[in-house]
Amino acid sequence: MNPQPRAAPIHDITTDTANPPAFEVLDDTRAGARNTLEYGGVEVADQQATAYPDIAPLETGLSTDAAFERALQVAGEMGWEIVATDPTRHRFEATARTSVFYFADDIVVSVTPAENGSRVDMRGVSRVGRSDQGVNAARIRTFQQQFHKE
């Protein structure tokens, strides 16, 4: 019997490793967090590409305004606590909690114009530990699946 593969030893997952969405509000509120919100760069991006090659930006035919509203709706449906919204810049920050131990993970979502609609990028960072055990990648996948439902 093969053992379950271990999760990548990273806790910061993003749909855009070249230009990850930056935290602006939550970065100032994480005094008790052991992990910083500064992105780990090429090393983390390479680990993510190996562990989660399917994590990519969400492309949608919706306008940036409509995609931003849909993203907020999905975040609410997923039970995230919306901490800050910036409708003008089409971005928001939120906190989600794991179901078992109720660990806090911080999330930033940014919507930008694209050729045929808009692009939704997001980033999830766990507040504790060196590895999030795949939780943030799973959360991004679920968010993207829910975004397309309706």
Side-chain angles (χ1 to χ4, degrees):
M1 193 161 100
N2 290 335
Q4 184 80 336
R6 292 181 56 113
I10 53 178
H11 68 278
D12 189 342
I13 308 297
T14 181
T15 58
D16 185 350
T17 57
N19 187 25
F23 289 92
E24 296 173 357
V25 175
L26 285 169
D27 200 28
D28 293 335
T29 64
R30 292 171 52 98
R34 292 190 314 201
N35 295 321
T36 174
L37 286 176
E38 185 175 316
Y39 188 67
V42 174
E43 181 182 340
V44 171
D46 288 346
Q47 289 177 327
Q48 178 181 314
T50 299
Y52 312 114
D54 61 311
I55 300 297
L58 185 150
E59 301 284 341
T60 177
L62 297 174
S63 70
T64 51
D65 287 339
F68 176 72
E69 289 302 319
R70 178 67 181 138
L72 277 172
Q73 179 184 10
V74 171
E77 291 169 357
M78 291 180 68
W80 301 355
E81 176 191 351
I82 306 300
V83 176
T85 61
D86 187 341
T88 304
R89 293 171 50 214
H90 301 100
R91 66 182 316 280
F92 66 88
E93 296 181 34
T95 299
R97 300 218 173 247
T98 61
S99 58
V100 177
F101 293 108
Y102 213 58
F103 291 133
D105 296 333
D106 295 320
I107 303 157
V108 57
V109 176
S110 175
V111 181
T112 55
E115 190 173 320
N116 295 314
S118 58
R119 169 179 160 154
V120 181
D121 280 297
M122 58 190 303
R123 180 175 166 207
V125 181
S126 295
R127 290 188 186 176
V128 295
R130 230 178 50 127
S131 173
D132 66 5
Q133 300 299 311
V135 169
N136 282 298
R139 184 178 291 116
I140 289 171
R141 288 183 194 111
T142 300
F143 175 90
Q144 290 180 340
Q145 290 167 354
Q146 295 293 79
F147 187 95
H148 287 300
K149 287 185 177 178
E150 185 146 336

